[in-house]
Amino acid sequence: MTEFKVPKSHPRYESLMKRERIIEGFNKGLVAHAGLIAHGRGEAFDYLLGEKTNDFAKLAEQAAVLKIKQSKAPVFSVNGNVAALAIDEVIALAKALNMKVEVNLFYRTEERVRRIADEFRARGYVVLGEVPDARIDGLEHARALCTKAGIYSADTVLVPLEDGDRTKALRDMGKFVITIDLNPLSRTAQTANITIVDELTRALKNMLEFANMKINNRNAVELLSNYNNEANLSSALLFINSRLSELARHEKQERL
Ligand code: ATP
Ligand code: MG
């Protein structure tokens, strides 16, 4: 149950609803304590980005969908925040792109994995992750656990809201890593092959649209070979920079 109702007329309705979903997910035992803090970090960056999908994010979303379509064994790695915010979007995109879904947690407890898997089961969807039988190389403790049928043997992993060390470990295993992360400066954003600097639910909705679009093969190959993640991250930082300068100028004029 949500603790308070957000009026639809509120100028930041969308953002407040997402905050409520995270709190609800926390109360249901899906979201870790650190997940609440991570959400706040995301909100702060979304403010800077204007709380909308920018052109550089659209491009990364398109490239990500094309790459997943070309992959042999793509896996969608889901944590508590992702399940709390966008479980229906995860299922829709996984179906559209033929991806397996694996519950994979940084702060792993068997209880939390089961609760997240239960949320998927309640929607008639079966996920991997409850019975780990492999480890991500180079990581210690429970955060290394994964499944052979899923992440361990994947060629491409879509892993939104991920931690930097784990992203690097997946890259070191030779995986193509796609992330969704509002902070263009995070280690995950800097380490992934494709970084979508956009809010999770917006990004997944856009990706579903792209997934259902017909695109000819030549255009797809060209878009992917021209895609440059470093340049894309630069665009995100330059956008924040110019947006802040513009906002600061307006503020100054108002004070004069
Ligand atoms: P890193 O480990 O990559 O350096 P970090 O330690 O700051 O980053 P993590 O908690 O490991 O952060 O990962 C969560 C990331 O997800 C953060 O960069 C945060 O800004 C981002 N984030 C949080 N909520 C959302 C959201 N709804 N949509 C997109 N990104 C989000
Ligand atoms: Mg981290």
Side-chain angles (χ1 to χ4, degrees), residues 41 106 162-165 187-188:
R41 259 191 324 284
F106 185 79
E162 180 54 295
D163 165 68
D165 285 349
R187 283 171 310 138
T188 298

Side-chain angles (χ1 to χ4, degrees), residues 9-245:
S9 58
H10 194 287
R12 299 194 57 261
Y13 174 79
E14 286 289 329
S15 175
L16 292 178
M17 282 307 290
K18 281 167 203 161
R19 193 180 294 175
E20 284 305 298
R21 293 187 76 143
I22 285 287
I23 294 169
E24 212 179 308
F26 179 78
N27 290 336
K28 279 204 241 168
L30 311 177
V31 171
H33 285 98
L36 299 174
I37 300 167
H39 186 77
R41 259 191 324 284
E43 280 186 347
F45 278 97
D46 211 15
Y47 245 107
L48 300 178
L49 289 158
E51 296 182 305
K52 64 177 170 55
T53 300
N54 292 291
D55 287 346
F56 50 81
K58 267 221 165 105
L59 182 67
E61 284 156 4
Q62 219 165 353
V65 167
L66 294 174
K67 181 67 192 182
I68 294 166
K69 281 189 173 177
Q70 287 180 0
S71 303
K72 288 199 174 68
V75 171
F76 198 147
S77 175
V78 167
N79 65 20
N81 284 44
V82 174
L85 286 171
I87 193 163
D88 295 323
E89 288 86 351
V90 169
I91 295 172
L93 189 66
K95 283 184 178 166
L97 290 174
N98 250 325
M99 308 177 87
K100 288 179 186 165
V101 175
E102 177 164 337
V103 178
N104 196 269
L105 306 181
F106 185 79
Y107 298 102
R108 185 184 177 102
T109 69
E110 298 315 312
E111 173 75 8
R112 226 154 57 73
V113 175
R114 189 182 54 73
R115 281 179 197 263
I116 295 168
D118 279 346
E119 290 290 317
F120 280 95
R121 266 191 291 274
R123 289 162 174 81
Y125 195 84
V126 176
V127 294
L128 296 164
E130 284 175 288
V131 193
D133 54 1
R135 297 181 75 84
I136 300 170
D137 303 336
L139 290 179
E140 282 172 18
H141 311 302
R143 65 192 53 166
L145 296 175
C146 68
T147 71
K148 260 187 207 142
I151 288 175
Y152 193 78
S153 57
D155 52 358
T156 298
V157 186
L158 171 60
V159 53
L161 282 55
E162 180 54 295
D163 165 68
D165 285 349
R166 299 213 317 168
T167 307
K168 183 165 182 312
L170 290 172
R171 285 289 316 259
D172 289 347
M173 280 176 87
K175 319 259 178 231
F176 192 97
V177 179
I178 300 168
T179 196
I180 302 169
D181 192 327
L182 280 159
N183 177 5
L185 296 169
S186 79
R187 283 171 310 138
T188 298
Q190 301 279 333
T191 309
N193 296 87
I194 296 179
T195 305
I196 297 165
V197 183
D198 200 0
E199 196 282 322
L200 174 79
T201 45
R202 287 199 306 266
L204 295 180
K205 280 183 187 141
N206 294 336
M207 288 171 80
L208 187 61
E209 264 180 45
F210 289 132
N212 291 327
M213 263 181 209
K214 284 251 171 299
I215 172 155
N216 89 35
N217 215 19
R218 246 209 3 237
N219 292 351
V221 171
E222 199 177 304
L223 193 143
L224 262 181
S225 62
N226 287 336
Y227 181 80
N228 178 335
N229 207 47
E230 229 174 285
N232 199 281
L233 288 169
S234 293
S235 301
L237 289 172
L238 286 170
F239 174 80
I240 291 174
N241 191 14
S242 63
R243 183 162 183 272
L244 290 182
S245 302

